[in-house]
Amino acid sequence: MDHFIYKDGILHAEDVPLLRIAEDVGTPFYCYSTATLTRHFKLFQEALDGLDHLVCFAIKSLSNQAILRTLADLGAGMDVVSGGEYRRALAAGCPPDRIVFSGVGKTRAEMCFALEHGLRQFNVESVEELRVLSAVASAMGKTAPITLRVNPDVDARTHEKIATGRKEDKFGVPIARAREFYAEAASLPGIDVVGVDVHIGSQLTDLAPFEAAFQKVADLTRDLRADGHAIRRVDLGGGLGIPYTRSNETPPLPLEYGAMIQRIFGDLEVEVEIEPGRLIAGNAGILLASVIYLKQGEGRDFLILDAAMNDLIRPAMYGAHHDIIPVIEPQAGVEQHPVDIVGPVCESGDTFAKQRQMPPLAAGDLVAFRSAGAYGAVMSSEYNTRPMIPEVLVKGDQYAVIRPRPDFDEIINRDRLPIWLE
Ligand code: LLP
């Protein structure tokens, strides 16, 4: 459920007509709903109610300061994967003891910065990283709280590019060797072993792979305790999928996911962390675009929009589906026609949908891409010197631009001429 609905024939974000924002901001832009974000965050809180838990928003999915502040104020922790994201979490007011630092390639500088300012834990992904972290922390006279991310060799049955828990993936340490690595971790200076971490992939639409992985984590927790480690936390990663098409997708609900976690970890006396991104942000955001032309091609029509692959790369990168709907509600029973929905970028890959059934649309009409809140704005670029797409946040009948569109001078003046060209 989200808060983008037609009222009096016009698509609204909560109580704000999207036509009004479009007039004010210009298209294309992203628009987020505070009520939807809040609702999704609270669903996870409720699903884990009764367990000692922390919901850490995976800020890679949507990292605007206004979004992070909204979630931090609700009590969210944050999962970060770079020094930049760590700084974003701090800047948004997330207390350091609610920040977990994930990622396969943390640098010494990133470790140093996070140790200096504080964090909940590093999710360490290799023994090589562990040794470097030990050296960095010891040199600073600090102790780094860590989990080891284990790779459970479970197939998440999701898109190839976002599956992370098989042994051929670059993530985590092989679970079969975990006890050996934990023994080394415990022996290293500057390292405090606090837990176990796992994340098997994104956009999972079935609970079975989660369950298989979590069961392995629970078994490992018992083994590690038997080996003498004080395991007090498990971080179960993110990955719960969302429906991208309204009609026929029914991924598991947070409540069902939570019930499964409660079943597996309920009597293990551990603090449970989860790192959802997409489920919180995905359906809390839409991308608004205008039709530039309806081009009649040879045997097919093209709806050319002012949004492109640089603004929303998911269709080009993963063949992802996004529902695209007109901002003015079509009359009931209006005839639909197949069109290719494309952007202006000079690549055939700049295609959002092929032969999509759409009601009649003309130049100047507005359309909304649904489910674009997660991995939308954060993956945008200025390819073709198209300015970074602005972001707008709605709350009830209010809205605010939370990232303005840069002007062209700003973009061009970022470049510098070397002395020999001046
Ligand atoms: N934790 C870790 C360690 C992760 O790597 C990720 C996502 C998450 C949590 C959050 O997963 P979520 O709950 O959002 O599924 N750009 C791709 C998705 C990449 C996901 C990367 N890792 C897409 O647009 O589908």
Side-chain angles (χ1 to χ4, degrees), residues 58 60 79 162 199 202 238-239 275-278 314 318 375 379:
K60 65 168 76 68
D79 168 47
I162 52 176
H199 170 78
S202 192
E275 303 170 349
R278 192 189 312 264
R314 303 193 68 259
Y318 313 110
Y375 307 109
M379 294 179 81

Side-chain angles (χ1 to χ4, degrees), residues 300-338:
R300 63 172 66 204
D301 292 344
F302 296 94
L303 200 61
I304 304 179
L305 305 182
D306 63 358
M309 63 191 288
N310 69 298
D311 303 309
L312 176 67
I313 202 163
R314 303 193 68 259
M317 192 149 171
Y318 313 110
H321 172 100
H322 286 265
D323 279 351
I324 302 171
I325 58 171
V327 168
I328 305 285
E329 189 173 16
Q331 303 286 342
V334 75
E335 209 178 312
Q336 306 220 339
H337 297 282

Side-chain angles (χ1 to χ4, degrees), residues 171-195:
F171 301 96
V173 299
I175 197 160
R177 296 188 61 192
R179 291 170 85 169
E180 170 193 334
F181 295 140
Y182 271 91
E184 174 162 353
S187 74
L188 288 173
I191 296 288
D192 177 24
V193 173
V194 300

Side-chain angles (χ1 to χ4, degrees), residues 213-331:
F214 295 172
Q215 201 61 62
K216 290 187 180 194
V217 167
D219 292 344
L220 178 64
T221 299
R222 290 186 194 93
D223 290 346
L224 292 173
R225 282 178 173 166
D227 292 345
H229 302 285
I231 302 297
R232 46 190 189 274
R233 242 176 237 170
V234 292
D235 181 333
L236 303 177
L240 191 57
I242 62 169
Y244 275 96
T245 42
R246 302 277 116 177
S247 38
N248 56 6
E249 281 177 75
T250 49
L253 301 170
L255 207 59
E256 297 165 316
Y257 169 80
M260 180 264 291
I261 292 176
Q262 303 248 11
R263 202 167 59 243
I264 297 177
F265 295 98
D267 50 16
L268 213 56
E269 286 180 24
V270 281
E271 215 176 334
V272 170
E273 295 162 358
I274 54 170
E275 303 170 349
R278 192 189 312 264
L279 200 133
I280 292 177
N283 282 323
I286 57 172
L287 164 63
L288 247 283
S290 303
V291 176
I292 307 179
Y293 299 112
L294 175 62
K295 173 176 169 177
Q296 303 196 313
E298 285 291 317
R300 63 172 66 204
D301 292 344
F302 296 94
L303 200 61
I304 304 179
L305 305 182
D306 63 358
M309 63 191 288
N310 69 298
D311 303 309
L312 176 67
I313 202 163
R314 303 193 68 259
M317 192 149 171
Y318 313 110
H321 172 100
H322 286 265
D323 279 351
I324 302 171
I325 58 171
V327 168
I328 305 285
E329 189 173 16
Q331 303 286 342

Side-chain angles (χ1 to χ4, degrees), residues 59-218:
I59 80 173
K60 65 168 76 68
S61 63
L62 177 59
S63 61
N64 188 290
Q65 286 291 288
I67 303 295
L68 302 188
R69 174 67 62 88
T70 301
L71 291 169
D73 285 353
L74 292 170
M78 312 250 156
D79 168 47
V80 305
V81 292
S82 69
E85 284 195 353
Y86 176 84
R87 284 168 174 82
R88 275 190 183 276
L90 276 190
C94 183
D97 65 0
R98 299 205 307 242
I99 303 178
V100 301
F101 203 140
S102 303
V104 286
K106 300 176 203 79
T107 64
R108 285 169 188 264
E110 288 173 327
M111 293 170 178
C112 211
F113 192 79
L115 281 169
E116 214 168 280
H117 296 266
L119 80 167
R120 185 176 186 83
Q121 87 223 9
F122 289 100
N123 293 332
V124 173
E125 298 228 13
S126 65
V127 72
E128 292 79 3
E129 180 194 340
L130 183 65
R131 292 173 191 149
V132 169
L133 182 59
S134 163
V136 171
S138 312
M140 294 172 74
K142 302 257 186 196
T143 301
I146 67 119
T147 69
L148 282 182
R149 174 170 174 178
V150 293
N151 184 324
D153 194 22
V154 166
D155 185 352
R157 286 181 250 141
T158 182
H159 191 282
E160 168 65 22
K161 287 187 179 154
I162 52 176
T164 57
R166 302 159 301 181
K167 64 173 179 296
E168 64 269 31
D169 297 320
K170 68 181 174 184
F171 301 96
V173 299
I175 197 160
R177 296 188 61 192
R179 291 170 85 169
E180 170 193 334
F181 295 140
Y182 271 91
E184 174 162 353
S187 74
L188 288 173
I191 296 288
D192 177 24
V193 173
V194 300
V196 181
D197 172 45
V198 75
H199 170 78
I200 58 171
S202 192
Q203 186 53 18
L204 273 71
T205 51
D206 180 0
L207 285 185
F210 281 125
E211 189 157 0
F214 295 172
Q215 201 61 62
K216 290 187 180 194
V217 167

